[in-house]
Amino acid sequence: MDQVIEAVEDAFRSFDTDRTELRQREGFTLRNARTGVLEWMPVMRQGESITIKVVGYNPLNPKQYGVPTIIATNSVYDCGTGHLTAVVDGVLATALRTGAASAIASKCLANPDSRVVGLVGSGAQAVTQLHALSRLFSIERVNVFDVDPVAHRSFARRVAFLGLDVRAVPLEVVEAEADILCTVTSVGVGEGPVLEDGRLRPWVHVNAVGSDLPGKVELPRSLLERSLVCPDFLPQALVEGECQQLRPEQIGPGIIDVVQHPGRYEEWRGRSTVFDSTGFSLEDEAVTRVLTELARRHGLGLDVELECLAGDAMDPYDLLLPEHPPQAGQVAPGSLRPTIRVA
Amino acid sequence: MDQVIEAVEDAFRSFDTDRTELRQREGFTLRNARTGVLEWMPVMRQGESITIKVVGYNPLNPKQYGVPTIIATNSVYDCGTGHLTAVVDGVLATALRTGAASAIASKCLANPDSRVVGLVGSGAQAVTQLHALSRLFSIERVNVFDVDPVAHRSFARRVAFLGLDVRAVPLEVVEAEADILCTVTSVGVGEGPVLEDGRLRPWVHVNAVGSDLPGKVELPRSLLERSLVCPDFLPQALVEGECQQLRPEQIGPGIIDVVQHPGRYEEWRGRSTVFDSTGFSLEDEAVTRVLTELARRHGLGLDVELECLAGDAMDPYDLLLPEHPPQAGQVAPGSLRPTIRVA
């Protein structure tokens, strides 16, 4: 987690539109029993690589299939040739980078003496929210609430490795005591917000993580209106983040600006702030790089031959002709073996 | 090739916007010595699968890296969960489906007695153009021209498996004799057209395959203006196909309409017609399905474990905890092994 936080923070700090090109995520809406989506999130480091995360969001996954709500796969392509060079499971990667982003935003915007973390929603993403925050703050108590009793009760066990004082409490207690509050819910479109504004501390910093669909919001508008609201990636936050609820002039600086100029926003550490985290491709690129580098260093993952590139680039059937003996690094003609690195 | 032609034709014939959703391709422009692109082309069969081809077009590939101009990878995702279920080399797949599409268009629009095929451009894509056409027409002679002398001279050898009378000839001969003509070039942006209009037969059918960038065209405007021009996928053809050169009212029916209603356009078989083939995701979905089914049937490809899905979907770190013994079909906790099918 420390490496992911460092890589994501570095990606924010060194971000430069000349070298890195981001695309807003787009996708298909799945006609399942509840609204699901499958989206792609491309980012290019000019001259180096293109990373595309494909992420499915299916709220029925845990109950129907026993797999996470968010299933993602991160693929890396070489800018020079167009080759697929790595495929990385994006489930863990997404959870890690989303946690890291909240921790980085909290470092810039929350009260540095924050001691109490509140969590509304206690699924998989809540685990990495708390993990990442625990690396940057001295947390004395964690209050957690979830409408799902199973998730609510099991959270303390799932974060036991952090050695923190974790309490399943009513929503009101989460609201009233949090210095840093993370909303990480699967609330339905039009069913938010997931908390009330009245009890919050004046200096609360909120990481709003759950919004990822038009019409899906977690925070009350009144909280947003009196807070410094920092979106991760504005074009996306306007469509599917808490920023949906705001007029343009009510929206604060983006997280990249905050990380690049922390002094400008220091005064807000004593006031109410919101990180509108929709999750964006720059974070995925950073975590994918960390994971592929770790896999290389530790000899994990699998080298797979995906393309059987012919000896003659102008002959698509060269691979099928037995008279061409295979070269070193190539596979026998006639066999269609893959050639990518799967980490 | 016969199976690919059948699958692509069936995809055109049974296309229904209620069940299948297409997206125009989008991408990044690579700042290489010559303009290259990396693009993604998503298509969804509602309730079944989502196929995303990622395709790199790098004209320097053959000379600089000894790999094809077009490097592509086709990935298939499950609509139910979001899982990546297959990764297929898209280099051969793209060449196959592009040839198949031209053959299908020619079947609907060319003179059924076409005997002479002309090829302008004789790289990898030209091989599958001719292969596919040879499955549907009784070809007596093939005239080929390429500005690259190596490609020009080597073409006959690369298509020797077809047993056709293939002749490397001057461009004028290709133009004058073709019943069916395919333009499959890497002509630069602003450098087209690649042939002249004056000598063409009145009934020529042209498969214009090379256009894939704004400003890149292969055909003279006069030819387009007097022909029935059928784009494969109109929104894309308007941006990067021959249709760039036409006003909306000059553009004919899309290939899907032509395949679904062949009788409507029969009269055009004696006149000049153009298939504006930019290549689109419906074709990629069809060829990917053929290749994955063939791989399954013949036991080719490789099953790869990409995701180590935790026993507890709400615990992203479950895979790292040694106290959970692995289930059948799962990998040992602590190891990050992949779990997809690579065909």
mmCIF file with all atom_site columns, all heavy atoms in Angstrom, chain B residues 122-142:
data_model
loop_
_atom_site.group_PDB
_atom_site.id
_atom_site.type_symbol
_atom_site.label_atom_id
_atom_site.label_alt_id
_atom_site.label_comp_id
_atom_site.label_asym_id
_atom_site.label_entity_id
_atom_site.label_seq_id
_atom_site.pdbx_PDB_ins_code
_atom_site.Cartn_x
_atom_site.Cartn_y
_atom_site.Cartn_z
_atom_site.occupancy
_atom_site.B_iso_or_equiv
_atom_site.pdbx_formal_charge
_atom_site.auth_seq_id
_atom_site.auth_comp_id
_atom_site.auth_asym_id
_atom_site.auth_atom_id
_atom_site.pdbx_PDB_model_num
ATOM 1   N N   . SER B 1 122 ? -0.074  -4.452  -51.533 1.00 0.00 ? 122 SER B N   1
ATOM 2   C CA  . SER B 1 122 ? 0.055   -5.917  -51.503 1.00 0.00 ? 122 SER B CA  1
ATOM 3   C C   . SER B 1 122 ? 0.704   -6.393  -50.213 1.00 0.00 ? 122 SER B C   1
ATOM 4   O O   . SER B 1 122 ? 1.485   -7.336  -50.205 1.00 0.00 ? 122 SER B O   1
ATOM 5   C CB  . SER B 1 122 ? 0.864   -6.386  -52.709 1.00 0.00 ? 122 SER B CB  1
ATOM 6   O OG  . SER B 1 122 ? 2.158   -5.817  -52.666 1.00 0.00 ? 122 SER B OG  1
ATOM 7   N N   . GLY B 1 123 ? 0.376   -5.715  -49.102 1.00 0.00 ? 123 GLY B N   1
ATOM 8   C CA  . GLY B 1 123 ? 0.889   -6.139  -47.800 1.00 0.00 ? 123 GLY B CA  1
ATOM 9   C C   . GLY B 1 123 ? 0.041   -7.259  -47.209 1.00 0.00 ? 123 GLY B C   1
ATOM 10  O O   . GLY B 1 123 ? -0.641  -7.997  -47.932 1.00 0.00 ? 123 GLY B O   1
ATOM 11  N N   . ALA B 1 124 ? 0.080   -7.370  -45.883 1.00 0.00 ? 124 ALA B N   1
ATOM 12  C CA  . ALA B 1 124 ? -0.603  -8.478  -45.198 1.00 0.00 ? 124 ALA B CA  1
ATOM 13  C C   . ALA B 1 124 ? -2.108  -8.478  -45.472 1.00 0.00 ? 124 ALA B C   1
ATOM 14  O O   . ALA B 1 124 ? -2.705  -9.546  -45.688 1.00 0.00 ? 124 ALA B O   1
ATOM 15  C CB  . ALA B 1 124 ? -0.350  -8.382  -43.685 1.00 0.00 ? 124 ALA B CB  1
ATOM 16  N N   . GLN B 1 125 ? -2.715  -7.305  -45.469 1.00 0.00 ? 125 GLN B N   1
ATOM 17  C CA  . GLN B 1 125 ? -4.170  -7.270  -45.652 1.00 0.00 ? 125 GLN B CA  1
ATOM 18  C C   . GLN B 1 125 ? -4.573  -7.727  -47.060 1.00 0.00 ? 125 GLN B C   1
ATOM 19  O O   . GLN B 1 125 ? -5.669  -8.264  -47.265 1.00 0.00 ? 125 GLN B O   1
ATOM 20  C CB  . GLN B 1 125 ? -4.731  -5.868  -45.381 1.00 0.00 ? 125 GLN B CB  1
ATOM 21  C CG  . GLN B 1 125 ? -4.375  -5.296  -44.013 1.00 0.00 ? 125 GLN B CG  1
ATOM 22  C CD  . GLN B 1 125 ? -4.812  -6.178  -42.851 1.00 0.00 ? 125 GLN B CD  1
ATOM 23  O OE1 . GLN B 1 125 ? -5.927  -6.690  -42.833 1.00 0.00 ? 125 GLN B OE1 1
ATOM 24  N NE2 . GLN B 1 125 ? -3.912  -6.381  -41.905 1.00 0.00 ? 125 GLN B NE2 1
ATOM 25  N N   . ALA B 1 126 ? -3.701  -7.485  -48.044 1.00 0.00 ? 126 ALA B N   1
ATOM 26  C CA  . ALA B 1 126 ? -4.020  -7.890  -49.417 1.00 0.00 ? 126 ALA B CA  1
ATOM 27  C C   . ALA B 1 126 ? -4.136  -9.418  -49.526 1.00 0.00 ? 126 ALA B C   1
ATOM 28  O O   . ALA B 1 126 ? -4.920  -9.940  -50.318 1.00 0.00 ? 126 ALA B O   1
ATOM 29  C CB  . ALA B 1 126 ? -2.963  -7.363  -50.381 1.00 0.00 ? 126 ALA B CB  1
ATOM 30  N N   . VAL B 1 127 ? -3.363  -10.116 -48.722 1.00 0.00 ? 127 VAL B N   1
ATOM 31  C CA  . VAL B 1 127 ? -3.388  -11.590 -48.755 1.00 0.00 ? 127 VAL B CA  1
ATOM 32  C C   . VAL B 1 127 ? -4.787  -12.098 -48.403 1.00 0.00 ? 127 VAL B C   1
ATOM 33  O O   . VAL B 1 127 ? -5.354  -12.951 -49.099 1.00 0.00 ? 127 VAL B O   1
ATOM 34  C CB  . VAL B 1 127 ? -2.338  -12.176 -47.780 1.00 0.00 ? 127 VAL B CB  1
ATOM 35  C CG1 . VAL B 1 127 ? -2.478  -13.695 -47.682 1.00 0.00 ? 127 VAL B CG1 1
ATOM 36  C CG2 . VAL B 1 127 ? -0.923  -11.791 -48.220 1.00 0.00 ? 127 VAL B CG2 1
ATOM 37  N N   . THR B 1 128 ? -5.354  -11.559 -47.327 1.00 0.00 ? 128 THR B N   1
ATOM 38  C CA  . THR B 1 128 ? -6.671  -12.063 -46.906 1.00 0.00 ? 128 THR B CA  1
ATOM 39  C C   . THR B 1 128 ? -7.802  -11.493 -47.758 1.00 0.00 ? 128 THR B C   1
ATOM 40  O O   . THR B 1 128 ? -8.858  -12.110 -47.860 1.00 0.00 ? 128 THR B O   1
ATOM 41  C CB  . THR B 1 128 ? -6.929  -11.757 -45.415 1.00 0.00 ? 128 THR B CB  1
ATOM 42  O OG1 . THR B 1 128 ? -6.663  -10.378 -45.172 1.00 0.00 ? 128 THR B OG1 1
ATOM 43  C CG2 . THR B 1 128 ? -6.024  -12.609 -44.535 1.00 0.00 ? 128 THR B CG2 1
ATOM 44  N N   . GLN B 1 129 ? -7.584  -10.314 -48.379 1.00 0.00 ? 129 GLN B N   1
ATOM 45  C CA  . GLN B 1 129 ? -8.581  -9.827  -49.339 1.00 0.00 ? 129 GLN B CA  1
ATOM 46  C C   . GLN B 1 129 ? -8.742  -10.860 -50.451 1.00 0.00 ? 129 GLN B C   1
ATOM 47  O O   . GLN B 1 129 ? -9.850  -11.275 -50.787 1.00 0.00 ? 129 GLN B O   1
ATOM 48  C CB  . GLN B 1 129 ? -8.135  -8.479  -49.950 1.00 0.00 ? 129 GLN B CB  1
ATOM 49  C CG  . GLN B 1 129 ? -8.133  -7.309  -48.990 1.00 0.00 ? 129 GLN B CG  1
ATOM 50  C CD  . GLN B 1 129 ? -9.529  -6.852  -48.608 1.00 0.00 ? 129 GLN B CD  1
ATOM 51  O OE1 . GLN B 1 129 ? -10.379 -6.642  -49.469 1.00 0.00 ? 129 GLN B OE1 1
ATOM 52  N NE2 . GLN B 1 129 ? -9.781  -6.729  -47.320 1.00 0.00 ? 129 GLN B NE2 1
ATOM 53  N N   . LEU B 1 130 ? -7.604  -11.259 -50.996 1.00 0.00 ? 130 LEU B N   1
ATOM 54  C CA  . LEU B 1 130 ? -7.651  -12.180 -52.124 1.00 0.00 ? 130 LEU B CA  1
ATOM 55  C C   . LEU B 1 130 ? -8.153  -13.559 -51.679 1.00 0.00 ? 130 LEU B C   1
ATOM 56  O O   . LEU B 1 130 ? -8.951  -14.200 -52.376 1.00 0.00 ? 130 LEU B O   1
ATOM 57  C CB  . LEU B 1 130 ? -6.256  -12.296 -52.759 1.00 0.00 ? 130 LEU B CB  1
ATOM 58  C CG  . LEU B 1 130 ? -6.198  -13.124 -54.034 1.00 0.00 ? 130 LEU B CG  1
ATOM 59  C CD1 . LEU B 1 130 ? -7.126  -12.561 -55.105 1.00 0.00 ? 130 LEU B CD1 1
ATOM 60  C CD2 . LEU B 1 130 ? -4.764  -13.208 -54.562 1.00 0.00 ? 130 LEU B CD2 1
ATOM 61  N N   . HIS B 1 131 ? -7.687  -13.991 -50.518 1.00 0.00 ? 131 HIS B N   1
ATOM 62  C CA  . HIS B 1 131 ? -8.128  -15.288 -50.003 1.00 0.00 ? 131 HIS B CA  1
ATOM 63  C C   . HIS B 1 131 ? -9.659  -15.328 -49.892 1.00 0.00 ? 131 HIS B C   1
ATOM 64  O O   . HIS B 1 131 ? -10.309 -16.247 -50.382 1.00 0.00 ? 131 HIS B O   1
ATOM 65  C CB  . HIS B 1 131 ? -7.472  -15.557 -48.652 1.00 0.00 ? 131 HIS B CB  1
ATOM 66  C CG  . HIS B 1 131 ? -7.782  -16.914 -48.085 1.00 0.00 ? 131 HIS B CG  1
ATOM 67  N ND1 . HIS B 1 131 ? -7.485  -17.261 -46.793 1.00 0.00 ? 131 HIS B ND1 1
ATOM 68  C CD2 . HIS B 1 131 ? -8.370  -18.014 -48.628 1.00 0.00 ? 131 HIS B CD2 1
ATOM 69  C CE1 . HIS B 1 131 ? -7.864  -18.507 -46.568 1.00 0.00 ? 131 HIS B CE1 1
ATOM 70  N NE2 . HIS B 1 131 ? -8.411  -18.990 -47.650 1.00 0.00 ? 131 HIS B NE2 1
ATOM 71  N N   . ALA B 1 132 ? -10.216 -14.296 -49.257 1.00 0.00 ? 132 ALA B N   1
ATOM 72  C CA  . ALA B 1 132 ? -11.665 -14.281 -49.047 1.00 0.00 ? 132 ALA B CA  1
ATOM 73  C C   . ALA B 1 132 ? -12.408 -14.206 -50.386 1.00 0.00 ? 132 ALA B C   1
ATOM 74  O O   . ALA B 1 132 ? -13.383 -14.938 -50.612 1.00 0.00 ? 132 ALA B O   1
ATOM 75  C CB  . ALA B 1 132 ? -12.054 -13.112 -48.146 1.00 0.00 ? 132 ALA B CB  1
ATOM 76  N N   . LEU B 1 133 ? -11.949 -13.344 -51.291 1.00 0.00 ? 133 LEU B N   1
ATOM 77  C CA  . LEU B 1 133 ? -12.612 -13.229 -52.601 1.00 0.00 ? 133 LEU B CA  1
ATOM 78  C C   . LEU B 1 133 ? -12.564 -14.554 -53.352 1.00 0.00 ? 133 LEU B C   1
ATOM 79  O O   . LEU B 1 133 ? -13.525 -14.945 -54.028 1.00 0.00 ? 133 LEU B O   1
ATOM 80  C CB  . LEU B 1 133 ? -11.946 -12.126 -53.436 1.00 0.00 ? 133 LEU B CB  1
ATOM 81  C CG  . LEU B 1 133 ? -12.259 -10.687 -53.014 1.00 0.00 ? 133 LEU B CG  1
ATOM 82  C CD1 . LEU B 1 133 ? -11.374 -9.707  -53.777 1.00 0.00 ? 133 LEU B CD1 1
ATOM 83  C CD2 . LEU B 1 133 ? -13.742 -10.367 -53.257 1.00 0.00 ? 133 LEU B CD2 1
ATOM 84  N N   . SER B 1 134 ? -11.444 -15.258 -53.203 1.00 0.00 ? 134 SER B N   1
ATOM 85  C CA  . SER B 1 134 ? -11.290 -16.525 -53.940 1.00 0.00 ? 134 SER B CA  1
ATOM 86  C C   . SER B 1 134 ? -12.282 -17.584 -53.471 1.00 0.00 ? 134 SER B C   1
ATOM 87  O O   . SER B 1 134 ? -12.548 -18.549 -54.181 1.00 0.00 ? 134 SER B O   1
ATOM 88  C CB  . SER B 1 134 ? -9.859  -17.060 -53.793 1.00 0.00 ? 134 SER B CB  1
ATOM 89  O OG  . SER B 1 134 ? -9.669  -17.626 -52.497 1.00 0.00 ? 134 SER B OG  1
ATOM 90  N N   . ARG B 1 135 ? -12.842 -17.416 -52.272 1.00 0.00 ? 135 ARG B N   1
ATOM 91  C CA  . ARG B 1 135 ? -13.826 -18.375 -51.761 1.00 0.00 ? 135 ARG B CA  1
ATOM 92  C C   . ARG B 1 135 ? -15.201 -18.141 -52.370 1.00 0.00 ? 135 ARG B C   1
ATOM 93  O O   . ARG B 1 135 ? -16.057 -19.021 -52.335 1.00 0.00 ? 135 ARG B O   1
ATOM 94  C CB  . ARG B 1 135 ? -13.925 -18.306 -50.234 1.00 0.00 ? 135 ARG B CB  1
ATOM 95  C CG  . ARG B 1 135 ? -12.625 -18.498 -49.468 1.00 0.00 ? 135 ARG B CG  1
ATOM 96  C CD  . ARG B 1 135 ? -11.914 -19.779 -49.812 1.00 0.00 ? 135 ARG B CD  1
ATOM 97  N NE  . ARG B 1 135 ? -12.733 -20.967 -49.509 1.00 0.00 ? 135 ARG B NE  1
ATOM 98  C CZ  . ARG B 1 135 ? -12.482 -22.187 -49.944 1.00 0.00 ? 135 ARG B CZ  1
ATOM 99  N NH1 . ARG B 1 135 ? -11.446 -22.423 -50.743 1.00 0.00 ? 135 ARG B NH1 1
ATOM 100 N NH2 . ARG B 1 135 ? -13.256 -23.200 -49.608 1.00 0.00 ? 135 ARG B NH2 1
ATOM 101 N N   . LEU B 1 136 ? -15.440 -16.937 -52.929 1.00 0.00 ? 136 LEU B N   1
ATOM 102 C CA  . LEU B 1 136 ? -16.780 -16.607 -53.436 1.00 0.00 ? 136 LEU B CA  1
ATOM 103 C C   . LEU B 1 136 ? -16.813 -16.310 -54.934 1.00 0.00 ? 136 LEU B C   1
ATOM 104 O O   . LEU B 1 136 ? -17.896 -16.220 -55.513 1.00 0.00 ? 136 LEU B O   1
ATOM 105 C CB  . LEU B 1 136 ? -17.352 -15.399 -52.675 1.00 0.00 ? 136 LEU B CB  1
ATOM 106 C CG  . LEU B 1 136 ? -17.494 -15.541 -51.160 1.00 0.00 ? 136 LEU B CG  1
ATOM 107 C CD1 . LEU B 1 136 ? -18.205 -14.323 -50.579 1.00 0.00 ? 136 LEU B CD1 1
ATOM 108 C CD2 . LEU B 1 136 ? -18.256 -16.812 -50.773 1.00 0.00 ? 136 LEU B CD2 1
ATOM 109 N N   . PHE B 1 137 ? -15.668 -16.144 -55.565 1.00 0.00 ? 137 PHE B N   1
ATOM 110 C CA  . PHE B 1 137 ? -15.632 -15.834 -57.000 1.00 0.00 ? 137 PHE B CA  1
ATOM 111 C C   . PHE B 1 137 ? -14.677 -16.789 -57.718 1.00 0.00 ? 137 PHE B C   1
ATOM 112 O O   . PHE B 1 137 ? -13.710 -17.266 -57.123 1.00 0.00 ? 137 PHE B O   1
ATOM 113 C CB  . PHE B 1 137 ? -15.164 -14.381 -57.227 1.00 0.00 ? 137 PHE B CB  1
ATOM 114 C CG  . PHE B 1 137 ? -16.166 -13.360 -56.769 1.00 0.00 ? 137 PHE B CG  1
ATOM 115 C CD1 . PHE B 1 137 ? -16.159 -12.899 -55.458 1.00 0.00 ? 137 PHE B CD1 1
ATOM 116 C CD2 . PHE B 1 137 ? -17.139 -12.864 -57.638 1.00 0.00 ? 137 PHE B CD2 1
ATOM 117 C CE1 . PHE B 1 137 ? -17.094 -11.975 -55.019 1.00 0.00 ? 137 PHE B CE1 1
ATOM 118 C CE2 . PHE B 1 137 ? -18.075 -11.935 -57.205 1.00 0.00 ? 137 PHE B CE2 1
ATOM 119 C CZ  . PHE B 1 137 ? -18.060 -11.495 -55.894 1.00 0.00 ? 137 PHE B CZ  1
ATOM 120 N N   . SER B 1 138 ? -14.983 -17.040 -58.986 1.00 0.00 ? 138 SER B N   1
ATOM 121 C CA  . SER B 1 138 ? -14.081 -17.840 -59.806 1.00 0.00 ? 138 SER B CA  1
ATOM 122 C C   . SER B 1 138 ? -13.079 -16.891 -60.454 1.00 0.00 ? 138 SER B C   1
ATOM 123 O O   . SER B 1 138 ? -13.339 -16.320 -61.511 1.00 0.00 ? 138 SER B O   1
ATOM 124 C CB  . SER B 1 138 ? -14.873 -18.577 -60.907 1.00 0.00 ? 138 SER B CB  1
ATOM 125 O OG  . SER B 1 138 ? -15.838 -19.410 -60.305 1.00 0.00 ? 138 SER B OG  1
ATOM 126 N N   . ILE B 1 139 ? -11.964 -16.748 -59.796 1.00 0.00 ? 139 ILE B N   1
ATOM 127 C CA  . ILE B 1 139 ? -10.990 -15.738 -60.231 1.00 0.00 ? 139 ILE B CA  1
ATOM 128 C C   . ILE B 1 139 ? -10.069 -16.326 -61.294 1.00 0.00 ? 139 ILE B C   1
ATOM 129 O O   . ILE B 1 139 ? -9.449  -17.373 -61.076 1.00 0.00 ? 139 ILE B O   1
ATOM 130 C CB  . ILE B 1 139 ? -10.173 -15.233 -59.016 1.00 0.00 ? 139 ILE B CB  1
ATOM 131 C CG1 . ILE B 1 139 ? -11.119 -14.636 -57.970 1.00 0.00 ? 139 ILE B CG1 1
ATOM 132 C CG2 . ILE B 1 139 ? -9.131  -14.213 -59.454 1.00 0.00 ? 139 ILE B CG2 1
ATOM 133 C CD1 . ILE B 1 139 ? -10.443 -14.286 -56.661 1.00 0.00 ? 139 ILE B CD1 1
ATOM 134 N N   . GLU B 1 140 ? -9.988  -15.636 -62.433 1.00 0.00 ? 140 GLU B N   1
ATOM 135 C CA  . GLU B 1 140 ? -9.105  -16.100 -63.502 1.00 0.00 ? 140 GLU B CA  1
ATOM 136 C C   . GLU B 1 140 ? -7.740  -15.436 -63.469 1.00 0.00 ? 140 GLU B C   1
ATOM 137 O O   . GLU B 1 140 ? -6.750  -16.021 -63.903 1.00 0.00 ? 140 GLU B O   1
ATOM 138 C CB  . GLU B 1 140 ? -9.764  -15.841 -64.870 1.00 0.00 ? 140 GLU B CB  1
ATOM 139 C CG  . GLU B 1 140 ? -10.876 -16.837 -65.156 1.00 0.00 ? 140 GLU B CG  1
ATOM 140 C CD  . GLU B 1 140 ? -11.638 -16.516 -66.425 1.00 0.00 ? 140 GLU B CD  1
ATOM 141 O OE1 . GLU B 1 140 ? -11.291 -15.534 -67.110 1.00 0.00 ? 140 GLU B OE1 1
ATOM 142 O OE2 . GLU B 1 140 ? -12.612 -17.240 -66.705 1.00 0.00 ? 140 GLU B OE2 1
ATOM 143 N N   . ARG B 1 141 ? -7.718  -14.194 -62.998 1.00 0.00 ? 141 ARG B N   1
ATOM 144 C CA  . ARG B 1 141 ? -6.428  -13.485 -62.975 1.00 0.00 ? 141 ARG B CA  1
ATOM 145 C C   . ARG B 1 141 ? -6.433  -12.458 -61.842 1.00 0.00 ? 141 ARG B C   1
ATOM 146 O O   . ARG B 1 141 ? -7.470  -11.854 -61.543 1.00 0.00 ? 141 ARG B O   1
ATOM 147 C CB  . ARG B 1 141 ? -6.176  -12.780 -64.303 1.00 0.00 ? 141 ARG B CB  1
ATOM 148 C CG  . ARG B 1 141 ? -4.750  -12.265 -64.450 1.00 0.00 ? 141 ARG B CG  1
ATOM 149 C CD  . ARG B 1 141 ? -4.377  -11.876 -65.877 1.00 0.00 ? 141 ARG B CD  1
ATOM 150 N NE  . ARG B 1 141 ? -5.097  -10.719 -66.357 1.00 0.00 ? 141 ARG B NE  1
ATOM 151 C CZ  . ARG B 1 141 ? -6.101  -10.754 -67.232 1.00 0.00 ? 141 ARG B CZ  1
ATOM 152 N NH1 . ARG B 1 141 ? -6.516  -11.911 -67.732 1.00 0.00 ? 141 ARG B NH1 1
ATOM 153 N NH2 . ARG B 1 141 ? -6.717  -9.650  -67.605 1.00 0.00 ? 141 ARG B NH2 1
ATOM 154 N N   . VAL B 1 142 ? -5.253  -12.284 -61.255 1.00 0.00 ? 142 VAL B N   1
ATOM 155 C CA  . VAL B 1 142 ? -5.079  -11.290 -60.196 1.00 0.00 ? 142 VAL B CA  1
ATOM 156 C C   . VAL B 1 142 ? -3.957  -10.347 -60.613 1.00 0.00 ? 142 VAL B C   1
ATOM 157 O O   . VAL B 1 142 ? -2.830  -10.782 -60.862 1.00 0.00 ? 142 VAL B O   1
ATOM 158 C CB  . VAL B 1 142 ? -4.713  -11.970 -58.855 1.00 0.00 ? 142 VAL B CB  1
ATOM 159 C CG1 . VAL B 1 142 ? -4.541  -10.912 -57.764 1.00 0.00 ? 142 VAL B CG1 1
ATOM 160 C CG2 . VAL B 1 142 ? -5.756  -13.002 -58.464 1.00 0.00 ? 142 VAL B CG2 1
#
